[in-house]
Amino acid sequence: MNLTQQQLYHWLIQCSQTFAQEQNNLTELDTAIGDGDHGLNMNRGFQKVAEKLPSVEDKDIATLLKTTGMTLLSSVGGASGPLFGTFFIKAAQSAAGKEALSVADLAELIKAGTEGVVSRGKAEPNDKTMCDVWWPVSTALENAASQPLNEAISAAVEAAKQGVESTIPMQARKGRASYLGERSIGHADPGGTSVLLLMKTLQQSL
């Protein structure tokens, strides 16, 4: 079973509910090591995505992803808008011309999106960024390429959970959290937590 255009559309719409529900949790995480605006920004961004996407509901997967990225880029302040926006825009390029996505396609798409984030933010492994969660998600999907979609997504969600947990003992070396030095240790990365929420919402929407 492949991920269809319709499923992808419902996932992106459903993200607006997820980030509305999780806004306060993300704000708490970000208040500990950042500006405290990550929850608000992700909620605002995906509310705008939910307003915008119905106008392209019948378009292809690449258009849905690109519209999501452009909307996040234009409507979200802080670091999360440009970074998540870039992720979806680069993911869209990987999905060009595809009617549906196999697990391997999805792995490739997430890898392309993550590379976009890396080139924009210059993140390296163990910098305590969202990439510390995107990388294991991408790897989990690559390894699950021959499995049914549901099982592959479950593996990706598990990898995302472990990725978020792995950021807790890290000292931040990028972004606002890096100013805190050792005080950034002991908190999960807010951007990485949003990646986990995206993957969990994809799992639920299927």
Side-chain angles (χ1 to χ4, degrees):
M1 186 176 118
N2 287 349
L3 186 65
T4 65
Q5 182 270 4
Q6 208 51 38
Q7 287 171 319
L8 196 95
Y9 175 81
H10 284 300
W11 166 48
L12 294 168
I13 294 285
Q14 220 168 321
C15 285
S16 65
Q17 294 166 358
T18 299
F19 285 107
Q21 288 161 357
E22 296 290 335
Q23 176 176 326
N24 292 345
N25 293 336
L26 289 172
T27 296
E28 274 175 42
L29 278 177
D30 197 36
T31 301
I33 59 169
D35 291 335
D37 61 356
H38 183 68
L40 180 72
N41 285 338
M42 292 303 287
N43 183 18
R44 181 194 295 145
F46 274 96
Q47 298 313 316
K48 293 283 186 201
V49 168
E51 286 169 26
K52 189 88 181 158
L53 276 189
S55 66
V56 292
E57 185 177 357
D58 56 347
K59 299 284 192 284
D60 63 355
I61 287 173
T63 303
L64 294 178
L65 291 167
K66 187 179 179 185
T67 304
T68 299
M70 298 298 278
T71 305
L72 292 174
L73 213 52
S74 63
S75 62
V76 182
S80 47
L83 293 173
F84 278 99
T86 299
F87 175 86
F88 280 103
I89 289 166
K90 291 293 180 191
Q93 291 169 2
S94 167
K98 291 184 175 139
E99 300 291 315
L101 300 172
S102 66
V103 174
D105 289 336
L106 192 59
E108 194 52 49
L109 180 149
I110 287 175
K111 191 176 174 185
T114 307
E115 283 168 1
V117 174
V118 169
S119 67
R120 183 139 197 173
K122 305 289 179 271
E124 292 175 27
N126 305 321
D127 275 355
K128 196 183 184 101
T129 69
M130 68 167 88
C131 295
D132 288 307
V133 183
W134 278 131
W135 281 315
V137 166
S138 174
T139 301
L141 287 169
E142 277 175 15
N143 293 342
S146 60
Q147 291 178 7
L149 182 64
N150 286 351
E151 287 175 29
I153 299 291
S154 293
V157 168
E158 208 41 58
K161 283 180 189 165
Q162 289 169 8
V164 169
E165 278 166 26
S166 79
T167 67
I168 295 173
M170 291 177 190
Q171 179 173 329
R173 296 200 291 248
K174 286 284 180 292
R176 186 65 186 260
S178 63
Y179 303 160
L180 295 175
E182 289 181 1
R183 282 184 299 147
S184 64
I185 296 170
H187 303 277
D189 178 64
T193 305
S194 283
V195 172
L196 172 59
L197 291 171
L198 284 169
M199 295 311 296
K200 273 184 169 173
T201 306
L202 178 57
Q203 187 180 35
Q204 287 156 6
S205 71
L206 294 176

